[in-house]
Amino acid sequence: MAFYDRMFNGLGLRDWCGNAGADSSMSMADLLAQANPSAEVNGPVFPFPSLDALNDACPAIPPSRDFVASVETGFLAIKDGLKLVLDPLTQPLSWMLEFALLAVESVPWWLMLPVLFVLVWYASRSKPVTIFVVLVFAFLGFVDHLDAAMQTLSIVLVCTGISILFGVPIGIAMAKSNGFQRAILPVLDLLQTLPTFVYLIPLIFLFSVTEPKLYGIAIIVYAIVPVIRLTDLGIRLVDRDVLEAANAFGMSAPQKLWGVELPLALPNIMAGVNQTIMMSLAMVVIASLVSAPGLGVLVLRGIRNLELGVGLVAGLGIVLLAVVLDRVSKAALARVSATHKHH
Amino acid sequence: MTEITKTEPKIRIRGLYKIFGPQPQRVLPFVEDGMGKDALLQEHSHVLGLNNISVDMMPGEITVVMGLSGSGKSTLIRHINRLIEPTAGEILIDGADALMLSPERLRAKRRADLSMVFQKFALLPHRTIEDNAALALEVRGVAKSRRRTEARRWLDRVGLSGYECYYPHELSGGMQQRVGIARALTSNSDIMLMDEAYSALDPLIRSDMQKLLLDLQVELLKTIVFITHDLDEALRLADHLVILKDGMVVQQGEPQDILLNPSDPYIEDFVSDINRARVLRVRSVMRRGDTNGHAYAGDVDADANLESVIAVSGGDTTHCYRVIEGGAPAGELDMKDVVRALVPRVSSSQTAA
Ligand SMILES: Nc1ncnc2c1ncn2[C@@H]1O[C@H](COP(=O)(O)OP(=O)(O)OP(=O)(O)O)[C@@H](O)[C@H]1O
Ligand SMILES: [Mg+2]
């Protein structure tokens, strides 16, 4: 006899419910109770009024597994529509990632690495940082991890680029409109608090696992948050006196944005980009679960097959890559901040 | 006493009120009925910025605004280029209502006709000194090479040549302020708004800059609104002096006039410490009219200050001089009047009390 029987009887809902327990399908608890008659006595005296408990007393109320099933069917129902919209929109992301991976694969190392080092030099203008980067890549190449590292790096750079492309305008819009900021902040909070694996679940159903955009979206959605937040903050922090001067001399809104606000917010935006890069790297490792190539795949192999050495060396590679990306972006940030010093 | 033909004021401010707070329109009637700054703050938690200001600023003149800290000087000057919107009142520039300008027209007006020097400098920290000075021209879309020559010319004029490629944070406060002055001068606008433009300068450079402004006035005849805390500076520069207190105009007029006839104890305090002999000019103390009656001890110029006249007379108070204004005799100056003018009214009222 279920605990909530009396409640439904008392409310006069028995007819609506149908006959309690008797010939409706049996729940797991009922089966257990039959197998072991003392279980009913041992069960909770006052069970939580969950769907299952209520279903015991009143079959008209669906059990939990129906609820889970309906969430699934619900998602599957909107999936096609969602896919129809998202697929073409995100297709360029797949192309970009495919192109980047192809480029990394087909350009010979003796061309790729010098180009990379020159870029590092231009971004950081720092000799120690450039030398460090050269050493790291020499080491990675020496232990035959260069290809995997370059794959990881290219995914990180593509995703960071797209994060900046979308994150900075969103941040600007948030700084300009309090309403928009109020609307976006909870979304950003949500994106930052969601465990990284949870992102992957709906994406796996939406896109095929063979498509690069699956992990591309997961990385971007996760990593775009800091660049949005810090662009918003940076623009809101622009000295009001300086803006007043810009107004007094008749600058138009675009002139103010490009000539005053963005340059003055640049140190903050760069700090956001630095964090975005680091978060992309963290996510690209997890995304190897859904076919993202690179060092993450080796780490995963280490875990799956208990190949300790493979996992550790790939892990070291990721750490080195992380330090490289951090140093280079911080050096670029420091260079920008130097010319922005105030008073 | 001005015999110049009446011209239209360049900037005309009428019945201007500014109240800071959440509901300025609601408390405006209290202010119009005479509630003061302190009462408004205590009873309605609104700050009275400006209280019924009416000032005419003539083209080609320097209007100096003085007043204690918090009296509303910066607030007043920001209304002229509408960095602050008034609560009530009207502002006419060249006879046109500045409050009716659309955002687009306002921006065009600011670009073409208004430049400003800021109390807190407000330079763009990520730009070089030269680019800062050239800001107004850049906004107008002037070609780079012309921008450069103009900016360099004015940077040179304020004594900053050689610093063109530095950044603001590499300069001292006084130097940054001069960049701000050069920025306004480079704009070459009809109206210059100068909010304590000289406050961070040392006395020597300050005197230089005052001279620069006066020289400029001879060449360019701009309409300048100049805020200062320094009475000597005000008297040196001002064609028209406006004294503010708690957002109200307590007295305005020709500076010599205010000095000789202060209308209020507040102003008497203000002017009591000044070296009157150096500031007062013959024309404010002379008796205008016939110049045939006397045997004069000599001629003095109407624009000479009393100090120089006393030096000429050797301190003899029996002398009487003929005053020459614009090459022609205009009246006479009795040394007794000179001595009388040197005694501020404050001390006379104190002896009376
Ligand atoms: N944005 C604002 N919000 C509220 N009150 C303001 C604001 N701006 C100015 N005020 C008030 O208006 C009054 C006048 O300020 P203002 O800056 O015009 O003074 P000031 O005469 O320029 O003083 P100072 O010589 O110190 O620069 C002050 O009481 C100030 O508190
Ligand atoms: Mg001020």
Side-chain angles (χ1 to χ4, degrees), chain B residues 79-93:
Chain B
H79 274 88
I80 296 171
N81 57 358
R82 273 181 67 196
L83 290 174
I84 299 180
E85 296 292 330
T87 306
E90 60 183 42
I91 301 164
L92 303 174
I93 298 180

Side-chain angles (χ1 to χ4, degrees), chain A residues 241-242 244-253 255 258-260 263-264 338-343, chain B residues 78 81 83 107 110-111 114-116 118 120 122-127 135-136 139 167 169 183 187:
Chain A
D241 294 328
V242 175
E244 195 174 45
N247 281 329
F249 284 95
M251 280 183 143
S252 64
Q255 280 175 326
W258 292 104
V260 181
L264 292 192
T339 54
H340 282 63
K341 232 181 286 164
H342 223 57
H343 310 307
Chain B
R78 274 175 173 70
N81 57 358
L83 290 174
R107 210 155 49 229
R110 283 172 176 170
R111 282 182 191 189
L114 294 156
S115 61
M116 186 160 181
F118 289 86
K120 294 177 197 156
L123 302 176
L124 273 54
H126 61 293
R127 296 199 181 186
L135 180 71
V139 174
Y167 285 90
H169 72 266
R183 175 169 70 178
S187 151

Side-chain angles (χ1 to χ4, degrees), chain A:
Chain A
M1 189 63 358
F3 180 85
Y4 288 101
D5 273 353
R6 247 180 300 156
M7 185 186 83
F8 285 104
N9 292 338
L11 290 172
L13 291 171
R14 181 48 57 201
D15 289 341
W16 172 76
C17 280
N19 207 354
D23 39 53
S24 66
S25 64
M26 283 187 178
S27 73
M28 201 58 169
D30 293 332
L31 285 172
L32 277 176
Q34 276 181 355
N36 180 2
S38 65
E40 198 181 2
V41 189
N42 292 348
V45 181
F46 175 34
F48 188 86
S50 66
L51 284 174
D52 277 348
L54 293 174
N55 172 260
D56 275 352
C58 172
I61 293 173
S64 284
R65 71 181 130 79
D66 286 1
F67 168 72
V68 175
S70 65
V71 170
E72 185 175 323
T73 45
F75 180 76
L76 289 177
I78 59 165
K79 180 194 123 174
D80 286 335
L82 213 57
K83 199 172 158 64
L84 206 66
V85 179
L86 286 182
D87 232 7
L89 279 182
T90 52
Q91 197 52 42
L93 178 59
S94 273
W95 293 332
M96 287 165 85
L97 286 167
E98 272 160 11
F99 175 79
L101 291 170
L102 185 71
V104 169
E105 203 178 299
S106 45
V107 177
W109 68 269
W110 44 263
L111 187 61
M112 187 164 55
L113 288 186
V115 169
L116 185 74
F117 298 150
V118 169
L119 287 181
V120 166
W121 167 250
Y122 269 101
S124 66
R125 295 294 164 95
S126 151
K127 256 189 213 137
V129 169
T130 313
I131 291 171
F132 174 70
V133 174
V134 171
L135 289 178
V136 165
F137 278 88
F139 170 76
L140 287 172
F142 192 64
V143 298
D144 280 299
H145 277 60
L146 187 60
D147 289 342
M150 287 309 293
Q151 285 175 332
T152 301
L153 185 65
S154 62
I155 296 174
V156 166
L157 292 185
V158 167
C159 292
T160 303
I162 294 176
S163 296
I164 295 170
L165 200 67
F166 287 97
V168 170
I170 295 176
I172 293 170
M174 281 172 72
K176 297 283 171 194
S177 150
N178 287 330
F180 189 62
Q181 189 196 38
R182 263 198 304 278
I184 292 290
L185 274 183
V187 178
L188 297 186
D189 290 339
L190 179 79
L191 291 180
Q192 268 190 325
T193 44
L194 269 187
T196 43
F197 289 101
V198 178
Y199 286 99
L200 298 178
I201 296 170
L203 291 174
I204 289 169
F205 279 89
L206 272 177
F207 306 108
S208 102
V209 183
T210 54
E211 286 178 293
K213 63 180 165 192
L214 169 53
Y215 59 81
I217 293 173
I219 295 169
I220 290 168
V221 166
Y222 181 65
I224 200 173
V225 179
V227 74
I228 296 180
R229 275 194 203 281
L230 281 152
T231 303
D232 174 33
L233 180 75
I235 289 191
R236 280 176 188 265
L237 285 183
V238 167
D239 192 347
R240 289 203 37 215
D241 294 328
V242 175
L243 268 186
E244 195 174 45
N247 281 329
F249 284 95
M251 280 183 143
S252 64
Q255 280 175 326
K256 271 186 287 184
L257 183 66
W258 292 104
V260 181
E261 288 169 313
L262 280 180
L264 292 192
L266 197 57
N268 272 313
I269 298 176
M270 295 284 278
V273 171
N274 169 269
Q275 286 184 34
T276 289
I277 292 176
M278 302 322 285
M279 288 172 73
S280 303
L281 185 64
M283 193 65 185
V284 78
V285 174
I286 290 166
S288 57
L289 280 173
V290 288
S291 81
L295 291 169
V297 174
L298 297 176
V299 174
L300 211 60
R301 199 175 98 199
I303 295 172
R304 278 209 193 107
N305 308 348
L306 293 179
E307 293 177 63
L308 184 61
V310 173
L312 283 180
V313 173
L316 177 66
I318 290 169
V319 170
L320 286 176
L321 213 52
V323 177
V324 162
L325 286 169
D326 188 53
R327 287 297 119 186
V328 175
S329 51
K330 286 240 174 79
L333 169 63
R335 196 161 61 84
V336 169
S337 304
T339 54
H340 282 63
K341 232 181 286 164
H342 223 57
H343 310 307

Side-chain angles (χ1 to χ4, degrees), chain A residues 240, chain B residues 18-21 37 47-50 66-78 84 119 195-196 227-229 244 247:
Chain A
R240 289 203 37 215
Chain B
K18 178 65 193 179
I19 297 165
F20 294 104
K37 181 166 178 158
V47 177
L48 181 52
L50 294 177
M66 285 194 75
L68 301 181
S69 199
S71 57
K73 305 180 296 296
S74 297
T75 307
L76 175 61
I77 207 169
R78 274 175 173 70
I84 299 180
Q119 192 171 357
D195 190 354
E196 295 189 34
I227 291 178
T228 179
H229 279 286
L244 288 185

